[in-house]
Amino acid sequence: MKKNIILIIMLFLLTVSTLIYQWKAYSVNDEKAVIVADESVYLKHVQGQFQIKQVIGPLPNQKYELQIPDKLKDVKCENRSNESCTLKNSRIEVKEEEITLTYTLPAPKQKPKSFLLEDWLIHLEGVDIQAHKIQLSEFNWKKGSWVGNTKETTMKEMELLDYYYLEGIEDEVVLYWQQKPLDIIHNHEDIVLYSSKENKPAKNINYIPFSQEPLYLILTDQHKAIKNGRLWIMRPEDNMQDLQRQLVMMDIQNVFTFKPAEEWLSEVIAALVINVPPKSAKAKKMYGELDRSLSEEQMKEWHQQLHSFDQKQLESKDLDLMLSDILGGKIRFFTDNKVKENPFSPLIIYDSRKVFLNGKDIGEINVLHKNDKWLIEAVPLLKALNYQVALTDRQNVQADKGKIHYRFYPDKRYFDLNDQRYGIGEAPVTFAQETIMMEMAIIPTLFNIEIVQDTTTIQIKEKK
């Protein structure tokens, strides 16, 4: 009996250890940890083509799936020991921690004004390239400039060729050439800026990108404007303010997506970020309204909320929620102004408190503070008080209940009660944000009610 128990225990332990081993093996295979490597690229532009040698390593000894752009020609590979390797179904086996790939890429036969070299490197699936070192020998297009999305760029002009050394960290290496020489005129951890001498900005750019990744900018009139990842080709602007405005707008549109009709709001956001008025009329009004309404500390808080916004799509309602958190109450500033062609609506802080009538929640009803007055939305209030309400072409508001007949004239300092006109010091109803609002101070007198307010509610009670 004792022997059987020992045997059972041994079998149990053996089974458990086998399951643990299999689970670990499955976990390792399932996760497929990303392999980190560097690459050196030797690029020679000669005889109407680019001759490319790409060295990737260090790599674990295993088979890799290659991602080869269709435009590459004569793709070959070799191991460190100069043994040739075969490409079968785009798969390659690495034996000695490093692989060398050679291939060619056709270049324009006629010397162009500018040229963009993109999607030109081979990728190994599951390998994350941490750094690129590129040596470029230019035999064909001398007297020009090669630049790209690289942090370091040096150039040496020789008798037969121009020699370039570029070093970068981006996933995709994009290179740009143009006949008109380019200089690197601004270089720090956030922004690298290239420009021709005649387009050289007067001062440095003071801006941290929303994406927290470097931006590579080429100011030129020799190529159409493009955005390729973090490399942007931009038309030269008249002054530094215009350049910064354009840069921030592009960065915002690159980090966030907008509904098509709301994309123009990036102009307002960019103006607030760099504190420079925008160009278009409505955007300028919106900027001015926010610049006047927010203190310096509130503006900083708004910047922080925008930088920490973690959703890809940015809508007008999201911008209003940020303002609501900062200013208190409910804000509909961006929502009310989101259609560029519509008239400008000023910034109004709507009261976030619940409104009750005789202890019952009225529901959605706007209360706002404007020009030192508290206003409440007239039509839902009158309906809650059991008045029959009719509007006539924005000219008057008719409210009837039994033998009581009111007629109000928006923005006029009088009203009619049972066909008898009464004058009053201030207009009892007015238009605000395309809505008919009624001054709360006059409501108790007109409708025989009382209003009690606290920090969370507005209590309206009918007197008996």
Side-chain angles (χ1 to χ4, degrees):
M1 183 68 180
K2 187 175 181 181
K3 289 182 178 180
N4 289 339
I5 292 174
I6 293 173
L7 181 60
I8 290 171
I9 292 173
M10 290 177 64
L11 287 172
F12 174 78
L13 293 174
L14 180 62
T15 302
V16 169
S17 62
T18 302
L19 288 172
I20 292 173
Y21 173 83
Q22 290 176 340
W23 178 81
K24 285 185 177 180
Y26 173 82
S27 298
V28 170
N29 291 333
D30 187 56
E31 288 178 3
K32 293 183 179 179
V34 173
I35 297 166
V36 175
D38 296 331
E39 74 177 6
S40 297
V41 181
Y42 305 88
L43 180 65
K44 183 187 292 186
H45 182 200
V46 64
Q47 297 176 352
Q49 66 178 2
F50 296 103
Q51 299 172 0
I52 303 166
K53 181 169 79 169
Q54 183 179 358
V55 182
I56 304 174
L59 296 169
N61 295 351
Q62 65 181 53
K63 289 186 177 181
Y64 297 89
E65 184 78 24
L66 298 183
Q67 298 171 350
I68 305 175
D70 294 336
K71 58 189 175 184
L72 304 186
K73 309 295 182 183
D74 306 320
V75 180
K76 298 175 184 177
C77 64
E78 62 183 33
N79 287 306
R80 181 181 287 179
S81 58
N82 293 325
E83 294 180 6
S84 61
C85 50
T86 57
L87 294 172
K88 294 182 178 179
N89 300 321
S90 298
R91 290 183 67 84
I92 189 172
E93 184 176 1
V94 175
K95 296 180 179 179
E96 297 179 353
E97 296 190 350
E98 184 177 277
I99 194 70
T100 299
L101 299 157
T102 60
Y103 44 93
T104 61
L105 177 64
K109 294 181 180 179
Q110 300 296 325
K111 188 175 183 178
K113 182 170 66 174
S114 62
F115 178 74
L116 189 66
L117 183 58
E118 52 189 341
D119 190 26
W120 60 285
L121 288 173
I122 295 175
H123 297 276
L124 275 63
E125 190 173 300
V127 176
D128 183 10
I129 301 298
Q130 295 291 290
H132 311 270
K133 296 178 181 178
I134 302 168
Q135 297 179 28
L136 192 160
S137 301
E138 177 57 81
F139 289 87
N140 285 15
W141 298 342
K142 290 173 59 62
K143 308 301 181 185
S145 292
W146 279 100
V147 298
N149 55 346
T150 56
K151 295 291 285 184
E152 299 293 336
T153 302
T154 57
M155 182 264 192
K156 185 175 182 181
E157 188 174 350
M158 301 180 181
E159 185 176 349
L160 298 178
L161 61 87
D162 291 343
Y163 175 83
Y164 293 84
Y165 176 80
L166 306 99
E167 188 170 332
I169 57 173
E170 300 300 308
D171 293 336
E172 297 284 343
V173 179
V174 182
L175 299 180
Y176 171 76
W177 178 89
Q178 69 173 44
Q179 288 190 40
K180 187 182 291 186
L182 287 166
D183 295 321
I184 184 166
I185 60 175
H186 182 86
N187 186 6
H188 61 67
E189 61 182 12
D190 297 312
I191 295 175
V192 181
L193 176 62
Y194 301 94
S195 180
S196 56
K197 291 181 180 178
E198 58 266 36
N199 295 326
K200 193 170 182 178
K203 60 181 180 179
N204 286 344
I205 295 173
N206 181 23
Y207 174 63
I208 300 175
F210 274 85
S211 60
Q212 303 298 311
E213 296 178 3
L215 289 173
Y216 306 90
L217 313 175
I218 302 171
L219 281 185
T220 183
D221 56 4
Q222 303 297 295
H223 196 280
K224 66 179 181 180
I226 65 147
K227 288 198 299 183
N228 186 316
R230 307 300 295 168
L231 181 135
W232 302 345
I233 297 177
M234 302 165 59
R235 307 292 290 183
E237 293 288 348
D238 295 334
N239 54 57
M240 198 64 189
Q241 282 189 355
D242 289 339
L243 171 61
Q244 292 208 130
R245 184 187 295 111
Q246 185 186 17
L247 163 63
V248 179
M249 282 181 61
M250 289 178 67
D251 185 34
I252 290 168
Q253 292 172 10
N254 191 62
V255 173
F256 302 115
T257 59
F258 295 83
K259 292 180 177 179
E262 296 185 8
E263 190 173 33
W264 77 276
L265 291 174
S266 62
E267 184 181 0
V268 183
I269 300 170
L272 293 167
V273 168
I274 61 175
N275 195 26
V276 174
K279 287 188 172 182
S280 67
K282 187 170 182 179
K284 188 178 293 185
K285 286 183 179 180
M286 293 179 67
Y287 165 81
E289 184 85 344
L290 291 171
D291 190 49
R292 287 189 299 270
S293 302
L294 274 68
S295 67
E296 185 176 344
E297 287 302 315
Q298 288 172 330
M299 191 65 78
K300 286 181 181 178
E301 187 178 348
W302 183 82
H303 284 186
Q304 291 171 356
Q305 288 205 27
L306 191 61
H307 274 278
S308 61
F309 188 73
D310 58 2
Q311 298 178 45
K312 179 63 177 174
Q313 187 168 61
L314 181 61
E315 299 182 32
S316 55
K317 64 180 182 181
D318 300 314
L319 295 166
D320 283 335
L321 285 173
M322 295 177 198
L323 289 177
S324 298
D325 288 342
I326 296 167
L327 297 175
K330 294 185 294 185
I331 306 292
R332 292 211 302 263
F333 180 67
F334 283 97
T335 305
D336 289 338
N337 285 294
K338 66 183 180 183
V339 179
K340 190 174 184 180
E341 294 74 23
N342 286 356
F344 168 74
S345 296
L347 176 65
I348 292 177
I349 302 175
Y350 291 90
D351 200 311
S352 60
R353 292 176 293 176
K354 285 283 188 181
V355 180
F356 292 85
L357 176 61
N358 299 326
K360 184 179 179 181
D361 187 352
I362 291 181
E364 285 296 324
I365 184 169
N366 290 318
V367 177
L368 60 90
H369 192 247
K370 183 181 180 183
N371 299 330
D372 297 324
K373 297 177 183 177
W374 284 102
L375 304 175
I376 188 167
E377 196 172 359
V379 173
L381 173 65
L382 291 169
K383 288 183 176 179
L385 291 169
N386 295 318
Y387 281 86
Q388 299 294 318
V389 182
L391 307 178
T392 307
D393 299 328
R394 290 175 57 115
Q395 297 303 310
N396 59 66
V397 181
Q398 185 71 36
D400 303 312
K401 183 168 73 171
K403 296 180 179 181
I404 301 174
H405 305 283
Y406 279 108
R407 178 170 291 180
F408 298 101
Y409 303 88
D411 301 315
K412 303 295 184 182
R413 290 186 297 175
Y414 53 81
F415 65 94
D416 296 342
L417 173 59
N418 294 335
D419 295 326
Q420 182 72 39
R421 179 152 296 181
Y422 295 88
I424 192 170
E426 298 286 344
V429 297
T430 184
F431 274 106
Q433 302 299 88
E434 300 298 310
T435 303
I436 299 173
M437 308 295 291
M438 181 171 288
E439 188 178 350
M440 289 180 65
I442 201 172
I443 292 174
T445 302
L446 291 177
F447 304 112
N448 194 32
I449 61 176
E450 63 177 350
I451 300 176
V452 179
Q453 303 184 48
D454 58 31
T455 57
T456 59
T457 64
I458 299 174
Q459 300 281 349
I460 301 174
K461 299 177 182 179
E462 291 182 288
K463 296 179 180 178
K464 295 182 179 180

